[in-house]
Amino acid sequence: MAYALHGERLFDEYEKRFLKRDVQGELVGKVLNPLNWPQMSGGSFTRSDLAAEYYDQILFDGATFGDLRSRGGPFANVAATEVTTGTRITFNQNTFDLFCADLSKVTLARAAAASSAVPGVFAPVDFDNFAGRCDFDLRANETRVLGSDVGKQNLGRATLRDHELAALEDSVAHRYLHLIDGGLSDNVGLRTLLEGMEASLASEHFRQISGFDKLKRFAVVIVNSLADAENDWGTEEKPPNVVSMLIRATGVPIDRYSYEQVELLRDFVRALQKLRGPDGQPLAVEFYAIDVNFDAIADPEEKRYFRNLPTSFVLSAEQVDRLREMAGRLLRQSADYQRLLRDLDAARTCPPGLSDLMPVSAVPNERK
């Protein structure tokens, strides 16, 4: 979100603003500060609200989604989980239309706090739900997006998504939305993308209004920072403690589910490549699945070091530096990432119409 807001200049500031800052210690200090106790004692202002104020101070400078849109930067698709229903809430205007709310007035810091509100550590971030008090109609909107024959289409994920959101149309039963960590409903952030891919396969109307029928290259960089500390449970007759089992019981399914999402995305792209565009020609979509994952570390000692790092809001300067170096290394060693760079370079340096014909090896070295 900070990159979407600040652009390239963030790389000159992010280390100082966040990476090498004791975010965890400063947040704890704010909670323990007696000056903050009065506003937290009423119940409506929580640790998450305090965190949102802090994120705004160090990263977002008071910016809202309206500011983000006006700056024309990349679109940031932020997700949280509505704890009452388990619904995935994406911070875009289409979703907030259902709640009869204006997303442009929501601060980026508040969305960041909701998206990272880990249960047990942070309280849910609350939003008002005014569904039914404006002219928005969920069914009419679905028809507008997917076409008039929406009822005839096989859209399993879109249907599930529709049911999730429909539950929140009752603003009496769900007067307030209680949002927590988005990872609980979509750990690697691919569900929105998968729903869009499914809709593009089923609806020609959706392909046209979304631009899928003009898509040439489709790259997904998945950064999975799964921590998997070593254990010796298999060598002991006594089972692990309850906390350890709970952590393991949630981490393993999430990791497996994330893997399945990536493979499903590949299947959708293969199906998309078989469709034909408005000109009657097959959709020539190149897909690049770039996975940045500690499992790709070749050296056993290095892999052990990174998999045992804590998931925390504070790391030492050495840990931060090693993580950044390793992330870059894993990215560059990805075969799909290298193929993407070559294809983009060929498209930039070849005359129009020739980029699909010229072998990459023919591009001059100084341009690679």
Side-chain angles (χ1 to χ4, degrees):
M1 292 179 70
Y3 174 69
L5 177 67
H6 299 297
E8 296 295 307
R9 76 178 178 89
L10 177 70
F11 297 119
D12 297 326
E13 306 172 357
Y14 197 58
E15 184 176 282
K16 181 179 179 181
R17 281 191 181 219
F18 194 86
L19 287 181
K20 292 186 177 179
R21 190 172 192 146
D22 186 358
V23 172
Q24 187 166 300
E26 292 183 25
L27 282 173
V28 171
K30 287 182 175 293
V31 172
L32 297 179
N33 187 342
L35 295 177
N36 293 320
W37 293 352
Q39 62 179 341
M40 297 177 64
S41 62
S44 60
F45 190 90
T46 66
R47 294 190 304 274
S48 293
D49 295 304
L50 205 62
E53 287 187 353
Y54 175 70
Y55 300 152
D56 197 56
Q57 172 190 341
I58 67 173
L59 278 178
F60 300 112
D61 306 322
T64 64
F65 278 91
D67 296 322
L68 193 61
R69 185 170 61 241
S70 67
R71 297 185 188 192
F75 173 71
N77 187 52
V78 184
T81 304
E82 206 287 312
V83 69
T84 307
T85 59
T87 301
R88 184 179 86 263
I89 302 298
T90 51
F91 282 79
N92 56 55
Q93 188 55 56
N94 195 50
T95 300
F96 272 63
D97 280 342
L98 172 64
F99 311 135
C100 297
D102 184 0
L103 180 67
S104 68
K105 297 179 180 179
V106 176
T107 64
L108 301 184
R110 190 163 177 77
S115 183
S116 59
V118 179
V121 179
F122 293 102
V125 176
D126 297 333
F127 284 82
D128 290 318
N129 180 12
F130 300 108
R133 305 185 191 184
C134 58
D135 296 330
F136 182 80
D137 186 314
L138 185 61
R139 302 297 177 276
N141 184 65
E142 186 181 50
T143 301
R144 178 182 63 81
V145 172
L146 296 176
S148 57
D149 58 343
V150 60
K152 304 175 184 178
Q153 298 160 350
N154 182 21
L155 293 166
R157 284 171 186 77
T159 301
L160 176 61
R161 179 66 173 156
D162 177 63
H163 289 165
E164 284 183 339
L165 293 176
L168 299 176
E169 284 187 295
D170 184 352
S171 61
V172 176
H174 301 288
R175 175 63 183 83
Y176 301 99
L177 306 172
H178 306 290
L179 306 189
I180 57 175
D181 190 348
L184 298 178
S185 55
D186 186 14
N187 188 49
V188 290
L190 286 179
R191 277 188 61 189
T192 298
L193 195 54
L194 288 169
E195 289 162 0
M197 293 293 287
E198 183 185 62
S200 71
L201 289 171
S203 169
E204 181 179 356
H205 178 72
F206 181 81
R207 286 200 300 276
Q208 292 174 354
I209 66 172
S210 65
F212 265 105
D213 60 348
K214 299 178 182 178
L215 193 63
K216 297 300 181 185
R217 293 180 183 84
F218 181 37
V220 180
V221 182
I222 302 155
V223 182
N224 190 347
S225 58
L226 174 72
D228 188 17
E230 293 181 337
N231 63 73
D232 57 356
W233 298 345
T235 65
E236 299 181 7
E237 181 180 1
K238 182 180 178 181
N241 62 55
V242 174
V243 174
S244 297
M245 285 193 292
L246 284 174
I247 293 173
R248 190 69 175 170
T250 54
V252 171
I254 285 176
D255 190 40
R256 300 295 184 269
Y257 175 65
S258 301
Y259 172 81
E260 292 298 328
Q261 280 191 313
V262 176
E263 292 307 306
L264 185 58
L265 189 57
R266 293 182 191 272
D267 292 340
F268 274 152
V269 173
R270 293 189 191 102
L272 190 65
Q273 291 169 335
K274 297 178 181 178
L275 298 179
R276 295 185 178 274
D279 57 0
Q281 297 299 314
L283 299 180
V285 182
E286 286 291 334
F287 179 58
Y288 312 84
I290 303 162
D291 191 15
V292 179
N293 194 311
F294 292 149
D295 283 340
I297 300 175
D299 182 84
E301 287 301 317
E302 276 195 318
K303 181 184 293 188
R304 185 175 297 110
Y305 171 82
F306 286 103
R307 289 183 73 94
N308 280 278
L309 284 179
T311 300
S312 171
F313 269 160
V314 57
L315 294 172
S316 70
E318 178 190 3
Q319 289 171 329
V320 169
D321 290 339
R322 289 190 64 175
L323 272 169
R324 295 180 70 183
E325 191 279 330
M326 177 54 70
R329 197 193 317 171
L330 293 174
L331 181 68
R332 289 188 294 273
Q333 76 182 33
S334 164
D336 269 21
Y337 177 67
Q338 292 299 329
R339 182 166 62 90
L340 172 62
L341 293 184
R342 291 194 298 268
D343 290 354
L344 289 175
D345 193 69
R348 283 195 301 266
T349 57
C350 294
L354 292 182
S355 59
D356 295 330
L357 304 176
M358 181 180 287
V360 173
S361 59
V363 179
N365 286 331
E366 64 269 16
R367 293 181 181 174
K368 285 187 178 178

